[in-house]
Amino acid sequence: MATSSEEAPLDPAAAPPVIVCVGMAGSGKTTFMRRVNSYLHSKQKPPYVINLDPAVLNVPFDSNIDIRDSVNYEEVMKQYNLGPNGGILTSLNLFATKVDQIVNLLEKRAKPQEDKAPIENILVDTPGQIEVFVWSASGTILLESLASSFPTVIAYIIDTPRTTSTSTFMSNMLYACSILYKTKLPMVLVFNKTDVKDAAFAKEWMTDFEAFQDALQRDQEGDDMDGEGGSSGGGGGYMGSLLNSMSLMLEEFYAHLSVVGVSSKVGTGMDEFFEAVAEKKQEFIDDYLPELQRRRDEREKLKKETREKELDKMMQGMSGLGGPSITNAKADDDVEVASDDDGEDYDSEDDAIAERESLQARYQTAVGDNDDSVMADASFAKYLHTPRS
């Protein structure tokens, strides 16, 4: 059976994009996933859907891969005596151990087959507890594994009606900025529920600093009038100054984002969303893929240097078993070495070096970079960091 290393790697430009949907609880993330799924089916381009939320009871779309088929969330809570968030995190950890199988399956489905057309989009639904996925080790493993084979884009879903105040808007932007910094993947800001509140105000705040300042001033005046002390707006004094400073700080962050307004209920904005995804896919290929490749090369170089050092130590230890060293073992006629029993005799130092290099080559062949070896197949880290250009 041919190994995955013998198959032709996917061309990043032809590979389907992976759209990872993240967002606060109640932002309409699952409803957005259903709308995107329905939209792609209407275009005769059914996506490949992955559900990573182990605690959801029902999902309004069919999942090709569902974490609930592999991990029983309630049983995990009972077995490990965990709460809801701990149960979700542990379920993701258990599921992440099979990520290599998932990537292999996705790579096969992304290539033309006799009976099936290759998939053109991969949708990933994440838990509503956003921090459990984004800031966990399992979430990082899943994202890095997907990004190692496919152009991966983060779709950050925002509840537009609840972002009309400057303070709530800034909180969402800071959260999005932290996710972008953590994942280091292209991001599309999706302002959902535009059938209730249009997202034009948010786009204006992100592109026009003075417009945000005016809105901040209005919020401060409204707080002063209702006497709520900043419960609904930006607040005054320190809070107002802080929001003002953060809006300036995030100017560069806004410049590299794609922003779209959609309505998961009505279905508007889908065309604009996939235009933004196509733009971010190209950005991934141009900017993010070279950086991923550079980090992989650095890891491989470090691993190779470490392996060579350990191998050199082992060779020195083996040479010391028969005497002071291989090169001077023959100098002491009274010392018996293993080579004496085999009838081998080193006529010169060059012969000793040649023997050592031969032994080193045999060792590397046995346990080194041989993709068919048991150690290579068993190494998940080797798979995860294997260059896939």
Side-chain angles (χ1 to χ4, degrees):
M1 180 177 178
T3 60
S4 59
S5 61
E6 297 173 348
E7 299 176 358
L10 287 171
D11 180 10
V18 176
I19 305 171
V20 182
C21 297
V22 299
M24 300 287 190
S27 61
K29 181 165 46 62
T30 301
T31 309
F32 173 76
M33 282 278 298
R34 179 180 64 179
R35 174 58 63 180
V36 171
N37 187 34
S38 175
Y39 172 82
L40 291 174
H41 273 86
S42 68
K43 298 290 185 180
Q44 304 301 316
K45 298 178 180 179
Y48 202 90
V49 183
I50 302 175
N51 174 46
L52 295 181
D53 190 350
V56 65
L57 295 178
N58 298 293
V59 289
F61 49 81
D62 293 330
S63 300
N64 299 92
I65 298 177
D66 197 326
I67 187 175
R68 298 175 300 170
D69 296 335
S70 304
V71 182
N72 189 321
Y73 166 70
E74 294 182 352
E75 191 64 26
V76 168
M77 291 177 60
K78 293 178 182 178
Q79 290 285 343
Y80 296 98
N81 193 26
L82 300 170
N85 288 343
I88 294 175
L89 180 58
T90 304
S91 298
L92 283 172
N93 290 340
L94 295 171
F95 189 72
T97 61
K98 303 296 183 182
V99 68
D100 56 333
Q101 299 178 17
I102 297 172
V103 173
N104 280 333
L105 180 60
L106 292 175
E107 288 179 342
K108 292 179 181 178
R109 289 291 289 112
K111 296 178 181 178
Q113 299 179 358
E114 295 181 358
D115 56 340
K116 296 180 181 178
I119 54 178
E120 298 186 26
N121 291 279
I122 301 172
L123 304 180
V124 180
D125 193 16
T126 60
Q129 289 80 353
I130 185 173
E131 67 282 353
V132 172
F133 177 77
V134 175
W135 276 272
S136 66
S138 55
T140 301
I141 291 173
L142 290 165
L143 285 176
E144 287 190 355
S145 300
L146 291 171
S148 68
S149 297
F150 302 93
T152 306
V153 178
I154 302 293
Y156 182 65
I157 317 300
I158 300 173
D159 188 346
T160 307
R162 299 192 62 184
T163 318
T164 53
S165 70
T166 52
S167 58
T168 309
F169 171 81
M170 187 55 64
S171 298
N172 262 298
M173 294 301 102
L174 290 174
Y175 215 110
C177 183
S178 65
I179 293 174
L180 179 66
Y181 182 79
K182 178 65 173 63
T183 61
K184 297 180 176 62
L185 293 171
M187 177 180 288
V188 178
L189 288 186
V190 182
F191 283 90
N192 196 17
K193 306 181 183 179
T194 54
D195 56 305
V196 178
K197 176 66 177 179
D198 191 87
F201 75 95
K203 296 179 181 179
E204 184 182 18
W205 288 355
M206 296 176 66
T207 56
D208 189 345
F209 174 74
E210 293 183 356
F212 181 79
Q213 296 301 307
D214 293 340
L216 181 59
Q217 183 65 31
R218 288 194 300 269
D219 284 345
Q220 292 175 353
E221 293 174 355
D223 292 338
D224 293 339
M225 292 179 63
D226 60 28
E228 294 294 332
S231 60
S232 61
Y238 168 75
M239 193 63 184
S241 177
L242 180 62
L243 290 174
N244 187 16
S245 300
M246 287 191 295
S247 63
L248 285 172
M249 177 193 69
L250 293 177
E251 185 175 359
E252 184 69 17
F253 169 67
Y254 296 151
H256 294 84
L257 285 180
S258 294
V259 182
V260 295
V262 304
S263 171
S264 299
K265 182 178 181 180
V266 180
T268 56
M270 289 293 107
D271 291 332
E272 292 80 1
F273 172 72
F274 278 98
E275 289 175 2
V277 169
E279 177 185 340
K280 291 302 175 182
K281 174 184 176 180
Q282 190 60 44
E283 181 181 322
F284 177 93
I285 296 173
D286 295 339
D287 300 333
Y288 287 79
L289 197 58
E291 177 64 17
L292 289 174
Q293 185 63 47
R294 185 189 65 81
R295 294 207 302 265
R296 289 194 203 104
D297 292 342
E298 289 180 351
R299 285 194 293 265
E300 288 300 321
K301 182 179 179 181
L302 181 61
K303 286 168 56 180
K304 184 177 180 181
E305 291 176 352
T306 303
R307 186 164 58 243
E308 289 177 350
K309 290 180 180 178
E310 294 298 326
L311 181 59
D312 189 61
K313 290 180 181 178
M314 185 197 73
M315 297 302 300
Q316 291 179 5
M318 292 177 65
S319 66
L321 292 176
S325 66
I326 289 179
T327 57
N328 64 1
K330 195 63 179 177
D332 189 351
D333 295 334
D334 297 332
V335 178
E336 295 183 357
V337 294
S339 61
D340 293 335
D341 296 333
D342 297 334
E344 296 180 2
D345 192 7
Y346 296 114
D347 296 331
S348 66
E349 184 176 347
D350 292 337
D351 292 338
I353 295 175
E355 176 66 18
R356 175 177 174 178
E357 291 177 349
S358 175
L359 181 59
Q360 181 173 348
R362 292 198 300 269
Y363 177 81
Q364 288 179 335
T365 301
V367 299
D369 298 327
N370 183 5
D371 290 335
D372 295 327
S373 69
V374 176
M375 293 181 65
D377 290 339
S379 176
F380 172 72
K382 179 178 177 64
Y383 173 83
L384 181 60
H385 298 131
T386 296
R388 296 171 181 267
S389 57

